[in-house]
């Protein structure tokens, strides 16, 4: 049997469907973001990144860079092992204290990524709590879905951002069920925001644990960057808040926050924490610096909101279809995987604009899009140039100007 032939057959199917992923080789350079160097077959070129999850450019912030450099010089590179053997660094504890304070919780726990923190926490809760039933919003991230699946707990799907459907699903469960409601604050593909207060009302009515993923919101919303729950004054009502260090904070890693008992429970039973080498201390030091800065500075958030508003207005003026939402994420709808890939390639090759196509399975077939994330380091001139390029391509490629 030729295993490579089996692999290649499915890869060819992906290519035929327009869903094969091609990675651009990008070299970030301190002080130039969102401008980067793209290495390609014919050499190098400068391009502007429009799809980064480093939403506020904190990966380039001098305080954050210096904190990492200083920690590397003082501590070296790796952590030395798992936290329970030889990798429990002073920098990890300081960062966890900073995160607990950020969300007004008793404790926090670090993971190697936001994916792992969701997977580990949900799988542990579902597997270890008696008669656990996890009620998951139908558009939850793959990391949450995988964690729920791995837990082998009963799973109930409720309609996206629909507290009434959640209420009905909770009411139908047996009295002895341990109910866990899992949802996100900002959904990264459509950019919509959950009705958190209404969802919490339903959770409290039925005695359910609330689990919120704020990965696309931490650093971005609230007076100190605590997320949408902080902005709306709801953090104290949420059982577990999960977040990431890899987006607005410009580093890498994930975390959960909650009560001392909850965090110690996950620390003690989650295989995704116990058996994984800890984050390098220098990463923890940089993340701590980033969080502290954004707790005090609103400049980055204010500038980012300005540029988001400006890009939306210019897209509207030119009739470029984008999803109207209250967040910082601007999905420009193409609705065809081949055209979406083609537009991405032309923007890169002819205009020096980098935006990855978002195709199936990240989004449902027929909803393919280019996902733009303007940041505080994008200039007004960058925005005008982007809109000019999109306007040109929309005419050339005869793409619909209607969103729905």
């Amino acid at each position: 049997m030729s295993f490579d032939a089996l692999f290649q057959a499915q890869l060819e199917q992906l290519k035929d469907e327009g869903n094969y992923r091609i990675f651009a080789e990008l070299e970030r350079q301190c002080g130039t973001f969102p401008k980067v160097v793209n290495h390609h077959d014919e050499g190098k070129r400068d391009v502007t990144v429009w799809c980064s999850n480093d939403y506020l450019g904190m990966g380039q912030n001098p305080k954050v860079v210096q904190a990492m450099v200083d920690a590397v010089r003082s501590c070296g590179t790796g952590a030395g092992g798992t936290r329970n053997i030889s990798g429990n660094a002073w920098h990890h504890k300081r960062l966890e204290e900073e995160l607990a304070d950020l969300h007004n919780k008793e404790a926090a726990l670090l993971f190697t990524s936001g994916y792992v923190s969701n997977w580990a926490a949900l799988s542990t809760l579902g597997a270890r709590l008696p008669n656990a039933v996890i009620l998951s919003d139908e558009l939850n991230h793959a990391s949450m879905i995988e964690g729920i699946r791995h837990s082998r707990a009963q799973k109930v799907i409720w309609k996206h951002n629909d507290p009434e459907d959640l209420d009905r699903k909770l009411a139908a469960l047996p009295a002895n069920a341990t109910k866990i409601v899992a949802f996100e604050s900002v959904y990264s593909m459509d950019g919509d925001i959950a009705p958190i207060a209404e969802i919490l009302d339903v959770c409290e009515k039925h005695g359910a644990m609330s689990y919120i993923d704020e990965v696309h919101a931490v650093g971005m919303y609230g007076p100190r960057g605590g997320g949408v729950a902080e902005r709306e004054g709801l953090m104290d009502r949420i059982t577990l808040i999960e977040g990431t260090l890899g987006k607005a904070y410009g580093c890498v890693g994930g975390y959960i926050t909650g009560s001392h008992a909850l965090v110690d429970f996950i620390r003690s039973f989650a295989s995704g924490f116990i058996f994984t080498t800890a984050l390098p201390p220098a990463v923890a030091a940089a993340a701590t610096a980033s969080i502290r800065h954004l707790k005090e500075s609103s400049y980055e958030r204010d500038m980012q909101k300005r540029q988001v508003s400006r890009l939306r207005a210019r897209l509207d003026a030119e009739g470029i279809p984008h999803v109207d939402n209250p967040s910082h994420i601007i999905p420009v709808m193409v609705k065809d995987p081949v055209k979406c890939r083609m537009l991405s390639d032309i923007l890169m090759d002819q205009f020096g604009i980098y935006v990855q196509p978002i195709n199936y399975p990240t989004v449902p077939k027929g909803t393919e899009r280019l996902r733009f994330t303007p940041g505080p380091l994008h200039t007004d001139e960058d925005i005008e140039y982007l809109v000019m390029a999109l306007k040109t391509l929309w005419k050339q490629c005869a793409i619909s100007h209607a969103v729905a």
Side-chain angles (χ1 to χ4, degrees):
M1 177 180 290
S2 172
F3 291 104
D4 279 354
L6 295 177
F7 303 148
Q8 198 61 43
Q10 295 198 36
L11 290 171
E12 292 303 322
Q13 182 180 349
L14 265 185
K15 293 176 182 178
D16 291 343
E17 295 170 347
N19 292 322
Y20 182 73
R21 298 167 191 257
I22 300 171
F23 296 157
E25 185 178 337
L26 306 178
E27 182 182 355
R28 288 163 62 107
Q29 297 176 318
C30 275
T32 67
F33 190 77
K35 304 291 191 295
V36 302
V37 175
N38 169 223
H39 296 261
H40 59 109
D41 292 341
E42 299 176 6
K44 297 190 295 184
R45 61 190 167 194
D46 294 331
V47 300
T48 301
V49 176
W50 277 99
C51 54
S52 176
N53 284 346
D54 186 358
Y55 293 131
L56 301 177
M58 292 301 292
Q60 304 276 308
N61 183 281
K63 292 181 183 177
V64 178
V65 172
Q66 191 61 50
M68 181 174 283
V69 170
D70 290 345
V72 167
R73 292 188 187 282
S74 64
C75 301
T77 54
T82 63
R83 295 270 300 270
N84 61 309
I85 295 178
S86 59
N88 194 41
W90 179 86
H91 289 292
H92 295 144
K93 295 305 296 178
R94 301 296 78 74
L95 175 53
E96 286 172 343
E97 290 168 1
E98 206 69 47
L99 289 164
D101 173 79
L102 176 68
H103 294 292
N104 197 27
K105 296 296 184 184
E106 293 176 354
L109 187 67
L110 281 173
F111 292 85
T112 51
S113 73
Y115 190 104
V116 174
S117 57
N118 265 332
W119 179 87
L122 282 167
S123 64
T124 302
L125 291 169
R128 306 247 359 149
L129 295 180
N131 305 309
V133 180
I134 303 178
L135 298 98
S136 177
D137 184 288
E138 65 181 341
L139 293 188
N140 274 345
H141 189 262
S143 58
M144 303 175 80
I145 295 169
E146 285 298 322
I148 295 167
R149 181 182 294 129
H150 185 76
S151 77
R152 300 187 179 180
Q154 180 183 343
K155 178 179 68 175
V156 176
I157 306 297
W158 48 286
K159 294 179 182 177
H160 178 55
N161 281 350
D162 189 339
E164 293 182 359
D165 187 56
L166 175 62
D167 188 25
R168 289 189 292 269
K169 299 286 174 61
L170 281 166
L173 295 176
N176 68 339
T178 301
K179 310 172 187 74
I180 305 164
V181 174
F183 62 105
E184 301 180 40
S185 58
V186 178
Y187 287 83
S188 62
M189 288 301 110
D190 288 337
D192 54 331
I193 294 178
I196 301 174
E198 291 84 351
I199 292 171
L200 295 177
D201 288 343
V202 174
C203 290
E204 290 162 1
K205 173 183 175 182
H206 295 278
M209 173 188 297
S210 50
Y211 182 116
I212 189 169
D213 174 322
E214 287 251 47
V215 297
H216 290 277
V218 290
M220 304 291 293
Y221 301 90
R224 300 198 309 158
V228 179
E230 184 197 25
R231 183 186 71 181
E232 299 179 5
L234 299 169
M235 291 193 298
D236 62 312
R237 295 176 59 189
I238 300 172
T239 313
L240 185 153
I241 299 175
E242 184 266 351
T244 185
L245 306 170
K247 294 182 170 58
Y249 291 121
C251 296
V252 66
Y255 65 87
I256 62 164
T257 65
S259 68
H260 283 301
L262 168 60
V263 170
D264 198 22
F265 174 81
I266 301 297
R267 183 190 69 87
S268 300
F269 293 111
S271 62
F273 174 81
I274 296 170
F275 299 107
T276 301
T277 297
L279 286 172
V283 170
T288 301
S290 185
I291 293 165
R292 286 175 178 170
H293 176 82
L294 290 175
K295 281 179 177 179
E296 298 176 353
S297 172
S298 63
Y299 173 79
E300 291 81 4
R301 287 187 286 273
D302 292 341
M303 283 298 297
Q304 193 261 355
K305 290 173 187 174
R306 177 189 184 275
Q307 298 309 72
V308 168
S309 178
R310 185 177 183 86
L311 179 55
R312 287 190 187 279
R314 292 294 293 117
L315 292 174
D316 286 338
E318 299 298 342
I320 305 297
H322 63 98
V323 176
D324 185 21
N325 63 52
S327 77
H328 58 283
I329 294 166
I330 304 179
V332 170
M333 305 305 291
V334 180
K335 301 184 178 181
D336 179 282
V338 176
K339 284 186 176 179
C340 203
R341 174 80 260 173
M342 177 184 66
L343 286 172
S344 173
D345 290 343
I346 295 173
L347 284 168
M348 178 76 104
D349 294 338
Q350 296 185 16
F351 296 94
I353 290 171
Y354 174 68
V355 58
Q356 271 286 11
I358 306 294
N359 290 348
Y360 178 83
T362 306
V363 295
K365 292 180 179 180
T367 68
E368 293 81 9
R369 67 202 63 188
L370 301 173
R371 176 183 176 273
F372 294 92
T373 54
L377 301 180
H378 286 105
T379 66
D380 292 353
E381 291 75 19
D382 290 334
I383 291 173
E384 290 303 315
Y385 183 70
L386 170 64
V387 173
M388 178 277 295
L390 290 174
K391 181 181 177 181
T392 301
L393 294 184
W394 243 250
K395 289 180 179 179
Q396 290 179 355
C397 301
I399 299 173
S400 171
H401 282 66
V403 176

